[in-house]
Amino acid sequence: MTTDFFNEAELGLLREHGIVLFAKRVIFDARPPMPADQIAAVQAVCAGPLPPELLALWRQTAGGRIDYDLHLRMNGCEEAVSWTELFWNGSDTAQTLRGWIAHELEGAAQAPREGAWDGKLVSLPIGGFEDSDRIYAVVEPGADHGHILAWKQGLPQPWAHAMHEDGMTTLAADLCAAFEVLHLDEDPLEAIGDYFTGQALLEYLDERHEAHALSLELMDRLIAFYRRAMVDWRTPLADGTLGRDGPLSRIALRHAIATDDAALIDRLAAADVALDGPLLGSAIATDLAVSHGAHAAAAALVHAGAPVAPDALDAIDSALSPDLAALLLAHGAQPSATAIAECVACGAPAAARLIAEAYAQAHDDLPAAYAAVRDDLLAELESALADVRTGEVSHYLGADELAHRIDHLQTFSL
């Protein structure tokens, strides 16, 4: 097999380094092809034939890792689905192919139904991420045979803007089409955060170069091939058609928020990109901007007419200016004791007082409501700081910031 990027010899070299190309995407840490007896064992528990695309994959590799972005609508939310592993037997994680098949068989046996169960699976787990995300191939005869499904676990109610019930949706009509849905929202060579899609692959390639003599030339060409999966929203933005493509528009909008780019927000709004609707989980654009500390983008969104949710001020994690707090309150955000305490903790006392004034106009329990939320937040931060100081766990804020937030809450008074 050759491609327009690599010849047969180069593909062989990549294979030696645990890299396989399938459906225009990169699989790394790839296993050898699945033995025929293992394929037969899987087939034996399926209600119908294994899809030909899945067999084609397994004849190249029994499994491995992939590193792409995938966003799907589930239960009315815009869900980031983690598909980082192709399950395989012998994996050093708990999520082996054989283990997941046993899990599904156990669940199917316990499911309520009319009549006896034949002991066969109608959907086969083939990949995912830990316990929270799974990818299935439909192996039941019929119109949906070969379809690829994505499942995501719902999170408890305290997780703001998370999907709170398990969700499942069709990803693609077959495995090759599902692989081609995988993409890169951002250029992994120009990362805009500490953690980014492509990081796992780049680290793997670095290790193969340093410890196993993968040539830099072949490594660079593989990265160039991998970057072919980057989406391009800039061209349709320039020609005025971006607003017609909902998924691409949402990627552009998330980029504008991630980079806190108010000018880009203005361009997106002028291009008729929808500024409402879920952007990540159930969070709308203004929710995402406020919670991520993208304050310039948040203000630009509000000025461009983006809706503001009533609880927009309840997920503050950085110092909010009183001007932005006032703008959000004027456009639908409701004042709350949670918002006051979060502003205090983040070192934004002026915004905290402004929100407190708005709260007091509608409620007569300000001191008690604030004290209750403050005490809970203090206990949470103090517990986190104690854990971090043991040296055994980490926290995204770090010990110094945790200590600063504790001090802010202890010294502030209404």
Side-chain angles (χ1 to χ4, degrees):
M1 179 190 73
T2 59
T3 71
D4 62 344
F5 225 83
F6 301 103
N7 60 35
E8 195 74 34
E10 291 167 331
L11 291 172
L13 284 172
L14 290 172
R15 169 78 264 190
E16 291 175 9
H17 288 281
I19 298 161
V20 167
L21 307 184
F22 181 80
K24 303 178 183 178
R25 297 297 181 261
V26 176
I27 302 169
F28 62 103
D29 201 11
R31 304 295 101 187
M34 187 178 292
D37 63 326
Q38 290 190 20
I39 293 177
V42 175
Q43 177 62 80
V45 300
C46 294
L50 290 168
E53 298 84 4
L54 180 58
L55 289 171
L57 170 67
W58 283 347
R59 286 166 183 154
Q60 283 190 258
T61 176
R65 292 193 285 160
I66 53 179
D67 195 2
Y68 292 94
D69 292 303
L70 177 61
H71 289 268
L72 298 171
R73 283 297 172 101
M74 290 181 177
N75 298 341
C77 298
E78 179 82 356
E79 289 299 315
V81 177
S82 296
W83 182 6
T84 61
E85 185 178 1
L86 296 165
F87 298 148
W88 56 281
N89 293 323
S91 169
D92 58 3
T93 71
Q95 290 77 30
T96 65
L97 177 62
R98 189 178 291 113
W100 276 120
I101 289 174
H103 171 82
E104 294 294 328
L105 287 169
E106 181 182 355
Q110 296 172 354
R113 63 171 55 82
E114 294 182 6
W117 175 52
D118 63 4
K120 306 290 187 180
L121 293 178
V122 298
S123 297
L124 180 69
I126 61 170
F129 173 72
E130 296 185 349
D131 294 332
S132 61
D133 303 70
R134 276 197 293 285
I135 305 297
Y136 294 86
V138 176
V139 290
E140 181 180 34
D144 293 339
H145 180 261
H147 284 196
I148 304 301
L149 311 177
W151 173 90
K152 191 173 182 71
Q153 184 180 48
L155 294 175
Q157 286 293 332
W159 289 76
H161 302 303
M163 184 173 65
H164 300 307
E165 296 180 353
D166 295 353
M168 180 175 274
T169 191
T170 299
L171 171 54
D174 60 60
L175 185 60
C176 292
F179 263 66
E180 293 192 31
V181 172
L182 299 171
H183 61 272
L184 297 171
D185 286 353
E186 304 285 347
D187 187 344
L189 300 184
E190 298 180 7
I192 57 176
D194 293 333
Y195 304 99
F196 57 92
T197 302
Q199 187 171 18
L201 173 62
L202 295 179
E203 290 174 352
Y204 178 85
L205 294 177
D206 283 341
E207 192 275 336
R208 294 307 302 185
H209 168 65
E210 293 172 4
H212 302 279
L214 172 63
S215 75
L216 284 175
E217 179 185 0
L218 190 56
M219 176 175 157
D220 288 344
R221 290 183 60 214
L222 182 72
I223 293 170
F225 176 88
Y226 176 68
R227 293 173 68 236
R228 283 181 160 188
M230 288 190 305
V231 298
D232 174 21
W233 50 263
R234 291 172 176 82
T235 298
L237 175 60
D239 63 26
T241 61
L242 180 59
R244 303 173 195 169
D245 189 326
L248 202 57
S249 293
R250 290 189 287 274
I251 292 171
L253 196 49
R254 285 192 292 267
H255 174 86
I257 292 169
T259 55
D260 199 14
D261 190 337
L264 179 54
I265 294 290
D266 292 341
R267 290 182 63 202
L268 294 174
D272 294 326
V273 165
L275 304 179
D276 57 356
L279 196 58
L280 187 63
S282 65
I284 59 177
T286 46
D287 291 329
L288 195 61
V290 171
S291 64
H292 285 200
H295 297 162
L301 283 163
V302 177
H303 288 307
V308 176
D311 61 353
L313 287 167
D314 286 352
I316 296 168
D317 200 31
S318 57
L320 195 72
S321 73
D323 288 345
L324 181 55
L327 181 65
L328 293 166
L329 288 168
H331 286 81
Q334 296 299 305
S336 68
T338 296
I340 299 167
E342 289 174 345
C343 281
V344 171
C346 291
R353 295 187 189 286
L354 188 148
I355 296 170
E357 291 174 5
Y359 182 92
Q361 293 176 7
H363 305 83
D364 59 7
D365 65 341
L366 173 61
Y370 170 70
V373 175
R374 177 203 59 204
D375 291 347
D376 286 346
L377 184 54
L378 260 176
E380 178 184 330
L381 293 170
E382 287 170 341
S383 175
L385 179 58
D387 289 342
V388 169
R389 283 177 171 166
T390 67
E392 297 178 358
V393 298
S394 61
H395 192 282
Y396 79 100
L397 289 174
D400 289 346
E401 180 59 20
L402 286 167
H404 286 317
R405 294 193 180 195
I406 290 168
D407 180 64
H408 294 154
L409 287 167
Q410 290 174 334
T411 57
F412 177 85
S413 59
L414 288 170

